[in-house]
Amino acid sequence: MADNLVIVESPAKAKTIEKYLGKRYKVVASMGHLRDLPRSQMGIDTENNYEPKYITIRGKGPLLKDLKKEAKKAKKVFLASDPDREGEAIAWHLSHALGENNDYYRVVFNEITKDAVKESFKTPGKINQELVDAQQARRLLDRLVGYNISPVLWKKVKKGLSAGRVQSVALRLIIDRENEIRNFKPEEYWTIENDFKYKRSEFKGKFNSVDNKKVKLNTREDVDKVLARISGDEFNVDKVEKKEKKRFPANSFTTSSLQQEAARKLNFKTRKTMMVAQQLYEGIDIKGSGTVGLITYMRTDSTRISPVAKAEAADYIVDTFGKEFLGYQKRQKESAQAQDAHEAVRPTSSARTPANMKQYLTRDQHRLYKLIWDRFIASQMAPAILDTVRMDLSNNGVTFRSNGQTIKFKGFMQIYIEGKDDEEEELNNRLPEIAEGEKVTSLKINPNQHFTQPPPRFTEARLVKTLEELGIGRPSTYSPTIDTIQKRNYVRMDQKRFMPTEIGEIVHQSMEEYFPDIIDVDFTKTMEADLDSVAEGKASWKKVIDDFYKEFEPRVERAEEEMEKIEIKDEPVGEDCEKCGSPMVYKMGRYGKFKACSNFPECRNTKAIVKSIGVTCPKCKKGDVIERKSKKNRIFYGCDQYPECDFISWDRPIGRDCPKCDHHLVEAKKGKNAQVKCSNCDYTEKVNN
């Protein structure tokens, strides 16, 4: 009979750990939090030193009863919730909910492997009250903000709205960016490209200077002045500069960088990334090994790697690629906000390669595991060495510059290259071997007109990166924050980028006028630093809350008295309901605007808003292609003659046919490297912006 009880959060984790510990230990799951503040009321006594009122979460009563029964039978109770502040708070709540008759031991492990779990049980500790206080302070602050501001928004704007400490700042960032885009005034500029030939080689150069001075090309007239200086098609090679450049690998993942890279490379939303990572952390059934956690804990802002993991990675690199590929990278400086509580996100064993694990994983699990494994191994490899060449070519004082680079030694690039939000760099762009003083021929000079572009809207990856750089939130908050502003319909996704909705802008304007501190980046950053001080034992959690609430409470009272009621009028569609004849109006729903009958609730007729993209259906040649949304809110394209015509495409048709096979062309890439592709064959075509 087991005389030791171990409590973890999830059944998957319980199953894995029980196999490691043996018959003397019974491992059960608390299914996350058992106690929390009540949903029906504030649950904080602001008149009594901010004393929280915790209750058993609805539906968890029978589970708590079972846990109490198991705890009474056990000699020792081990609390093995996750190794972060929230995990510490769960352990603390468990110790209070189960009663004080037991001796409680806190065990923490960064990875769910047999060795790590057994080692942690050799040296159990006590609950870290400072970490609990920091988490408790965060929970109470968020409750004070949400439960005070939300009712004001319900009264003055619309029911069902909410405000939050971190979500309001995230919304502000998105709206500020949208305002930048609206106020942006494009400016004209030009570039000049030159197609050169040397013997049998052709290469490109870009205009650089006139008489060794930089010249701005703002208009066509500026371009014509430069072109008028060029005499003939012969250019002299004035300067050839060769250098060797090292490129170092990126560090192993933190939570933030994992979410960003999974968005770029796998098209995962932050929520999906964390869900799949949790599965890999809690354990996968591996033939011959049982259930094994494949990655370390996924909520971390540290890039630290244990010496054991480094040594194992080194063995793998030397055996697989050779000694010359081994080169430990110096750890980059941590961000000022990094708590360094655990290691970076990495595989628990380098020997468990993605190829070997593929048969045990789902497609999403394998893709994310491969990303984590590749990044970790690459972080321990030698830098890549690039040969770079810069060549200046002139004609009558007009200089063009060609840049080329080739990979001399791949190093870490053998398995992994970090993704980018903007255009990818061309790594192999070889220039011909030319000596200074030689002549080359200009084949064609291409002047190109451009206009400056506004800053891009936030993708999920860019928003997470910005929140981290500004010190807003922590690893565990990025995903729920993004989830909340989408669920509240404050923002919508357009081409995988955030755009504020009308209701989002109204809420932000109200917050800006009456609660400027809540949406202030520096204020929120300072609050995060205060919570870190609580975790480090340098500040009292109740004082941190009191300092905030003394300033906050009068603002709530002012908003209740002075904020005017905002009436969101239904916008007429300009057409009548085909069922009852009443005017149709635009309504705002969970997934954005839709058409509805103004005679609701007597008439419940609703219609989706269809948006034509101005392209004739490539299948029936009669209807128009319209933009539609799937149940998962993903944009696709169909024919407005449906169901007579069943044309459907995830890619946007452009209204032209492929010159190779006569099927329709669709958008493939946007931005500077815009491309179209055939919907049927391998034909692609660059788009001139």
Side-chain angles (χ1 to χ4, degrees):
M1 180 179 168
D3 51 9
N4 295 298
L5 180 67
V6 182
I7 305 177
V8 298
E9 288 110 320
S10 75
K13 195 172 169 184
K15 181 183 168 188
T16 308
I17 292 169
E18 192 163 62
K19 285 181 181 177
Y20 296 155
L21 294 176
K23 293 179 180 178
R24 290 183 56 242
Y25 292 84
K26 182 168 186 177
V27 187
V28 294
S30 70
M31 310 301 288
H33 284 276
L34 281 175
R35 299 198 315 167
D36 197 6
L37 300 169
R39 294 184 69 178
S40 58
Q41 55 182 275
M42 177 73 72
I44 302 169
D45 190 348
T46 55
E47 302 296 322
N48 184 26
N49 209 16
Y50 306 100
E51 199 61 38
K53 175 189 175 184
Y54 291 116
I55 62 166
T56 303
I57 295 170
R58 182 175 290 180
K60 293 283 186 87
L63 175 61
L64 179 58
K65 190 178 177 182
D66 290 344
L67 290 175
K68 281 183 175 179
K69 202 180 288 182
E70 294 293 343
K72 276 184 182 177
K73 290 189 281 184
K75 290 180 181 176
K76 290 181 180 178
V77 178
F78 295 90
L79 306 173
S81 45
D82 286 344
D84 58 10
R85 293 179 192 174
E86 188 170 7
E88 208 71 27
I90 288 173
W92 180 77
H93 280 297
L94 277 167
S95 69
H96 282 262
L98 296 177
E100 297 178 6
N101 297 329
N102 296 83
D103 286 330
Y104 297 102
Y105 298 90
R106 178 78 170 113
V107 285
V108 175
F109 29 83
N110 194 45
E111 57 188 68
I112 303 178
T113 57
K114 193 170 186 177
D115 289 344
V117 170
K118 285 199 159 187
E119 190 62 36
S120 68
F121 275 81
K122 287 178 184 176
T123 54
K126 294 293 181 186
I127 292 169
N128 185 326
Q129 192 60 43
E130 289 161 351
L131 294 183
V132 173
D133 289 346
Q135 183 62 26
Q136 189 167 224
R138 179 184 292 280
R139 183 76 185 95
L140 268 60
L141 281 169
D142 290 344
R143 174 58 66 98
L144 288 168
V145 170
Y147 273 49
N148 275 296
I149 298 179
S150 297
V152 177
L153 295 176
W154 299 344
K155 281 186 209 168
K156 309 292 186 178
V157 185
K158 186 185 174 187
K159 283 225 167 190
L161 302 180
S162 74
R165 206 171 46 83
V166 177
Q167 77 178 54
S168 298
V169 179
L171 179 62
R172 177 192 178 156
L173 293 174
I174 292 166
I175 290 175
D176 284 353
R177 177 59 54 87
E178 196 65 27
N179 288 333
E180 282 183 70
I181 293 168
R182 287 170 186 157
N183 299 328
F184 183 81
K185 292 178 181 175
E187 294 179 4
E188 181 184 10
Y189 73 98
W190 288 71
T191 57
I192 309 173
E193 280 193 347
N194 204 332
D195 294 335
F196 292 110
K197 185 171 184 180
Y198 175 75
K199 296 180 181 177
R200 292 184 180 179
S201 299
E202 293 184 12
F203 61 100
K204 292 184 180 293
K206 289 184 178 180
F207 169 71
N208 183 254
S209 61
V210 175
D211 297 329
N212 295 319
K213 291 178 184 174
K214 295 287 182 185
V215 175
K216 285 188 176 181
L217 303 177
N218 295 324
T219 63
R220 178 74 208 206
E221 289 73 29
D222 295 336
V223 172
D224 290 340
K225 284 179 189 176
V226 172
L227 297 181
R229 283 282 299 267
I230 298 173
S231 175
D233 59 6
E234 190 175 84
F235 277 70
N236 184 66
V237 179
D238 293 341
K239 188 177 181 183
V240 178
E241 193 175 286
K242 294 183 179 180
K243 284 184 180 176
E244 193 177 86
K245 187 170 79 175
K246 284 186 178 181
R247 174 177 290 191
F248 289 89
N251 279 316
S252 291
F253 285 126
T254 61
T255 303
S256 164
S257 58
L258 174 62
Q259 290 172 350
Q260 291 168 50
E261 196 75 336
R264 293 187 198 106
K265 291 197 169 186
L266 309 180
N267 200 24
F268 280 12
K269 290 183 173 293
T270 53
R271 186 180 181 185
K272 182 175 182 177
T273 300
M274 298 313 289
M275 181 186 73
V276 177
Q278 183 89 29
Q279 294 163 3
L280 295 173
Y281 166 69
E282 290 187 343
I284 303 292
D285 282 329
I286 309 295
K287 191 176 179 181
S289 303
T291 307
V292 179
L294 293 185
I295 65 168
T296 54
Y297 191 55
M298 62 282 156
R299 292 188 185 93
T300 176
D301 43 18
S302 171
T303 56
R304 183 169 55 80
I305 301 293
S306 74
V308 173
K310 283 185 177 183
E312 191 184 18
D315 289 341
Y316 177 85
I317 292 163
V318 172
D319 291 345
T320 309
F321 303 107
K323 257 188 178 177
E324 68 275 18
F325 280 86
L326 180 62
Y328 289 142
Q329 182 199 8
K330 287 182 180 176
R331 188 160 64 118
Q332 293 173 6
K333 188 181 177 185
E334 303 279 12
S335 72
Q337 292 80 38
Q339 296 161 29
D340 204 20
H342 358 82
E343 288 188 62
V345 184
R346 62 165 176 82
T348 53
S349 172
S350 301
R352 286 191 276 268
T353 65
N356 292 339
M357 294 298 105
K358 189 172 184 179
Q359 60 185 309
Y360 308 113
L361 304 173
T362 64
R363 181 173 180 268
D364 286 340
Q365 287 171 346
H366 176 258
R367 293 172 74 205
L368 190 66
Y369 181 65
K370 186 177 187 306
L371 191 72
I372 293 166
W373 190 92
D374 286 351
R375 173 88 163 220
F376 167 64
I377 295 296
S379 76
Q380 303 302 304
M381 291 176 74
I385 299 173
L386 307 175
D387 280 334
T388 64
V389 181
R390 194 172 78 182
M391 194 183 300
D392 288 347
L393 311 103
S394 70
N395 175 307
N396 197 27
V398 178
T399 301
F400 283 77
R401 177 167 286 172
S402 290
N403 290 300
Q405 67 177 11
T406 55
I407 300 174
K408 183 179 180 180
F409 172 66
K410 273 194 158 185
F412 74 93
M413 287 183 179
Q414 187 80 20
I415 62 167
Y416 180 85
I417 299 175
E418 188 177 17
K420 290 187 175 183
D421 289 320
D422 45 22
E423 60 183 290
E424 296 292 328
E425 177 188 3
E426 192 175 351
L427 292 168
N428 269 314
N429 174 30
R430 190 181 295 275
L431 294 181
E433 285 291 332
I434 310 176
E436 290 180 2
E438 291 200 65
K439 308 293 182 186
V440 300
T441 304
S442 170
L443 298 176
K444 188 182 178 184
I445 295 178
N446 307 298
N448 294 306
Q449 184 188 35
H450 309 273
F451 290 90
T452 53
Q453 298 295 310
R457 294 187 176 102
F458 286 105
T459 59
E460 276 206 8
R462 179 62 72 179
L463 183 60
V464 167
K465 186 176 183 181
T466 304
L467 288 170
E468 183 187 40
E469 287 172 347
L470 293 172
I472 306 300
R474 284 297 178 261
S476 60
T477 64
Y478 303 135
S479 177
T481 295
I482 289 170
D483 211 31
T484 300
I485 58 175
Q486 288 180 282
K487 280 182 177 174
R488 297 293 181 194
N489 200 32
Y490 293 166
V491 299
R492 64 184 179 87
M493 296 299 278
D494 182 49
Q495 302 295 324
K496 298 181 185 176
R497 294 179 183 271
F498 289 110
M499 285 184 69
T501 61
E502 181 187 359
I503 195 71
E505 299 208 49
I506 290 170
V507 168
H508 175 71
Q509 286 166 10
S510 303
M511 294 288 292
E512 194 171 34
E513 184 175 352
Y514 292 96
F515 303 101
D517 282 351
I518 300 299
I519 62 168
D520 182 71
V521 170
D522 289 334
F523 176 84
T524 309
K525 181 179 178 179
T526 302
M527 184 61 68
E528 292 292 350
D530 289 343
L531 292 173
D532 289 346
S533 295
V534 173
E536 293 160 9
K538 296 176 182 175
S540 158
W541 71 272
K542 290 188 176 181
K543 185 176 187 308
V544 167
I545 292 175
D546 188 51
D547 289 346
F548 164 77
Y549 194 69
K550 280 190 294 193
E551 300 285 330
F552 176 67
E553 189 181 25
R555 291 187 184 277
V556 176
E557 291 169 357
R558 177 175 163 255
E560 286 176 333
E561 291 171 12
E562 298 179 12
M563 190 187 288
E564 293 182 8
K565 189 168 176 60
I566 299 167
E567 189 177 345
I568 304 174
K569 292 183 179 178
D570 293 329
E571 183 186 343
V573 173
E575 61 185 68
D576 292 334
C577 173
E578 65 267 28
K579 290 187 177 178
C580 73
S582 300
M584 295 290 281
V585 293
Y586 289 113
K587 291 277 187 182
M588 187 67 75
R590 184 178 174 186
Y591 298 113
K593 278 187 176 181
F594 63 95
K595 295 177 185 178
C597 181
S598 58
N599 194 26
F600 178 86
E602 283 73 22
C603 178
R604 294 177 176 269
N605 184 26
T606 61
K607 289 163 72 178
I609 298 170
V610 294
K611 181 179 169 187
S612 174
I613 65 169
V615 170
T616 302
C617 175
K619 188 168 185 179
C620 69
K621 310 292 184 187
K622 293 177 185 176
D624 287 333
V625 176
I626 57 173
E627 186 181 286
R628 305 187 70 181
K629 283 190 178 179
S630 69
K631 287 181 180 178
K632 291 189 175 180
N633 213 26
R634 185 179 169 190
I635 291 172
F636 68 95
Y637 303 92
C639 180
D640 68 356
Q641 298 298 305
Y642 178 83
E644 286 76 23
C645 175
D646 62 357
F647 170 76
I648 189 170
S649 172
W650 290 113
D651 299 310
R652 186 186 179 104
I654 66 165
R656 283 198 292 122
D657 289 336
C658 172
K660 203 170 170 183
C661 73
D662 289 335
H663 280 71
H664 65 281
L665 295 175
V666 295
E667 285 183 355
K669 284 184 182 178
K670 288 190 167 189
K672 292 181 181 177
N673 295 325
Q675 277 187 354
V676 296
K677 66 180 180 181
C678 179
S679 58
N680 178 58
C681 70
D682 60 358
Y683 175 79
T684 59
E685 177 186 309
K686 283 189 177 180
V687 178
N688 189 359
N689 287 326

